[in-house]
């Protein structure tokens, strides 16, 4: 029955204070003395050597050199010549690593520290202002180039006046004797 005036409990009662949780494994639960006296070493398994995966690139090349073209012939060649990939220990990179300087570091280099003296003097603001001034000056110069009017024949005639006409002294022949 539930206790009077209290809600009914929906959990299990816990064991006493002398109860130890977990599994007791006698082989490894000897504590520090057993760990110091008896070293448990793992012996390598010689029978379960992992087979390397097949090298299909080399096998395909060999099958083509032998003159096989169909899938059935390729499968027969795979069964006859089972070529496996070489272990990474025998790779070209591990046998002859590239010659690099001893002080070379791989990866991305770290950013240089921000100079606080430039921050205190507002140097970055001044550099930005100079860039903006140079940009506006370049825009003004380009705008002036665009605003320049191209010369046409009419504007050239207005600028350079036509030469004055010389008065000709030609008269009618019947009026020459007058």
């Amino acid at each position: 029955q539930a206790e009077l005036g209290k809600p009914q409990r929906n959990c299990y009662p816990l064991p006493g204070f002398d109860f130890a949780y977990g599994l007791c494994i006698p082989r490894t639960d000897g504590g520090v003395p057993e760990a110091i006296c008896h070293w448990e070493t793992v012996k390598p398994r010689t029978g379960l050597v992992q087979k390397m995966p097949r090298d299909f690139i080399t096998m395909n090349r060999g099958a083509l050199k032998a003159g096989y073209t169909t899938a059935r012939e390729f499968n027969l060649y795979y069964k006859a010549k089972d070529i496996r990939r070489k272990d990474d220990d025998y790779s070209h990179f591990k046998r002859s690593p590239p010659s690099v300087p001893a002080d070379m570091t791989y990866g991305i280099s770290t950013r240089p520290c921000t100079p606080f003296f430039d921050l205190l003097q507002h140097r970055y603001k001044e550099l930005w202002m100079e860039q903006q001034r140079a940009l506006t000056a370049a825009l003004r110069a380009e705008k002036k180039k665009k605003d320049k009017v191209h010369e046409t024949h009419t504007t050239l005639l207005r600028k350079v006046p036509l030469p004055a006409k010389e008065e000709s002294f030609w008269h009618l022949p019947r009026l020459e004797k007058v």
Side-chain angles (χ1 to χ4, degrees):
Q1 283 187 338
E3 298 177 25
L4 186 63
K6 292 183 180 178
Q8 188 174 5
R9 295 182 183 175
N10 58 355
C11 59
Y12 296 106
L14 296 175
F17 290 105
D18 59 341
F19 181 78
Y21 291 94
L23 296 174
C24 179
I25 302 173
R27 191 175 56 158
T28 56
D29 277 353
V32 175
E34 187 177 331
I36 292 173
C37 295
H38 306 288
W39 287 98
E40 293 286 334
T41 58
V42 178
K43 294 179 177 74
R45 297 178 185 175
T46 57
L48 297 176
V49 177
Q50 183 182 3
K51 286 180 102 176
M52 296 302 290
R54 285 178 154 186
D55 191 1
F56 284 102
I57 296 172
T58 309
M59 286 194 293
N60 288 345
R61 190 182 302 126
L64 286 173
K65 283 181 183 176
Y68 300 134
T69 54
T70 63
R72 187 172 186 278
E73 291 173 342
F74 269 74
N75 283 331
L76 291 172
Y77 186 82
Y78 293 161
K79 288 177 185 173
K81 306 262 184 160
D82 189 18
I83 301 172
R84 299 286 174 167
R85 291 178 57 194
K86 293 179 180 170
D87 195 9
D88 289 338
D89 295 337
Y90 300 109
S91 68
H92 176 71
F93 185 77
K94 288 200 175 182
R95 279 185 283 149
S96 59
S99 58
V100 292
D103 58 344
M104 181 178 165
T105 307
Y106 290 96
I108 301 170
S109 59
T110 57
R111 285 179 51 190
C113 297
T114 306
F116 284 103
F117 195 69
D118 290 344
L119 287 175
L120 293 174
Q121 286 188 333
H122 303 288
R123 181 78 181 130
Y124 295 108
K125 181 190 85 169
E126 293 169 7
L127 289 172
W128 183 80
M129 292 294 287
E130 288 175 12
Q131 288 175 351
Q132 294 302 314
R133 287 186 196 116
L135 184 66
T136 53
L139 288 174
R140 278 190 200 138
E142 191 163 329
K143 191 174 180 183
K144 279 186 181 179
K145 286 181 183 177
K146 286 182 180 177
D147 289 346
K148 190 174 181 181
V149 178
H150 293 288
E151 300 290 332
T152 61
H153 188 66
T154 308
T155 56
L156 285 174
L157 288 177
R158 284 183 189 152
K159 286 183 181 177
V160 181
L162 290 174
K165 284 189 175 180
E166 295 179 12
E167 192 173 332
S168 74
F169 296 104
W170 182 83
H171 299 288
L172 289 172
R174 62 187 168 141
L175 298 176
E176 276 184 10
K177 293 184 180 177
V178 176

